[in-house]
Every structure is written in C-alpha cells, then in structure tokens.
C-alpha cells in the first residue's frame, strides 16, 4: 500500500469528509460539505486546499517544510509523502483546512484556479538537500 493510499484510508474514516473523483480530473478527492479539501494525485503527491488565509497564517512553517510545496497565488499546497511522518503532517494540515473552510466567509472566492496538479514539480528530498 502506498503512502497516499494509507493517508486516504485514514482520512476516509473522518466523519466530515466524503470521497469522490477530484474535480481536476486526476485522482481521488475528499471533500467537506462545502468544498473539496484534498486531492490524491499519485502514490506520493497530494494537493490540499488550505485557503489563502490559512496559508498566510502558517506561511513560514509551510515554507520551512521539505514536504510542502507552495505555488504563489494558490490557495492549495502540495504535500509530497516520503515517509509516515509526512502522513501525520498531512492529517494535521487537513484538520487545519477543515477549520479554515468552516470559518471562511461564504462570499470569499477560493479555489477558482483549481489545485496545483501540473503546476508543481516535486523533487525527491535527497536531491533538494544536495545529496
């Protein structure tokens, strides 16, 4: 079982999330009553709809993680799953995303550009670290 499959299996047990096809056309999605929250695109790459406010609030922490990839102007972040700790990170961020979507004003436009699929090139961590 891949890391993404393990994460998807764990998240599908959450009562606030429902599974279905990703609106971008690639992979599976988990959505709340209000919005798509997570897209599982491959065995290791997951896009998470955090909201602009949540990304701004946690920008320095997100930017400091080698598992997180930010796309300027996007309200989605890409999480690259390399180990079990990355699954735990993803689950924590999904919890933040659910809270962010619950408190987001209904008239605030989010996610119009879609997820980051095909907008992020993920390099293995050892390549990024120079080793």
């Amino acid at each position: 079982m891949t890391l993404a499959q393990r994460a998807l299996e764990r998240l599908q047990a959450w009562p606030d999330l429902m599974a279905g096809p990703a609106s971008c056309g690639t992979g599976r999605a988990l959505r709340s009553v209000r919005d798509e929250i997570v897209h599982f695109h491959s065995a290791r790459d997951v896009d998470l709809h955090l909201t602009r406010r949540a990304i701004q609030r946690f920008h320095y922490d997100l930017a400091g993680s080698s598992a997180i990839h930010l796309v300027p102007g996007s309200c989605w972040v890409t999480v690259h799953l390399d180990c079990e700790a990355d699954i735990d990170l993803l689950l924590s961020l999904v919890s933040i995303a659910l809270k962010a979507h619950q408190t987001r004003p209904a008239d605030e436009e989010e996610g119009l550009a879609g997820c980051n699929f095909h907008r992020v090139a993920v390099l293995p961590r050892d390549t990024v670290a120079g080793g």
Side-chain angles (χ1 to χ4, degrees):
M1 181 179 289
T2 69
L3 292 169
Q5 288 170 326
R6 280 187 254 172
L8 176 61
E9 187 175 273
R10 288 175 65 183
L11 287 167
Q12 282 180 323
W14 290 22
D16 294 339
L17 294 172
M18 299 164 284
S23 62
C24 66
T26 302
R28 300 289 297 159
L30 294 174
R31 64 173 297 114
S32 67
V33 172
R34 192 171 175 181
D35 298 294
E36 281 188 343
I37 303 295
V38 188
H39 287 184
F40 290 85
H41 293 302
S42 72
R44 293 183 178 261
D45 295 318
V46 179
D47 279 343
L48 175 65
H49 190 182
L50 265 181
T51 75
R52 292 186 204 293
R53 283 187 182 159
I55 290 171
Q56 288 171 348
R57 182 173 179 201
F58 297 106
H59 184 267
Y60 292 109
D61 297 310
L62 295 170
S65 172
S66 60
I68 306 290
H69 302 278
L70 301 170
V71 174
S74 178
C75 55
W76 293 75
V77 299
T78 300
V79 181
H80 185 72
L81 306 173
D82 270 335
C83 60
E84 290 292 328
D86 294 339
I87 294 175
D88 295 335
L89 172 63
L90 175 65
L91 271 60
S92 296
L93 291 174
V94 169
S95 181
I96 291 169
L98 285 168
K99 174 103 173 140
H101 282 271
Q102 289 171 352
T103 59
R104 180 175 56 84
D107 62 344
E108 188 175 290
E109 293 182 12
E110 282 283 339
L112 295 178
C115 69
N116 293 338
F117 190 62
H118 290 305
R119 294 171 31 176
V120 172
V122 179
L123 300 174
R125 283 188 205 169
D126 56 351
T127 302
V128 174

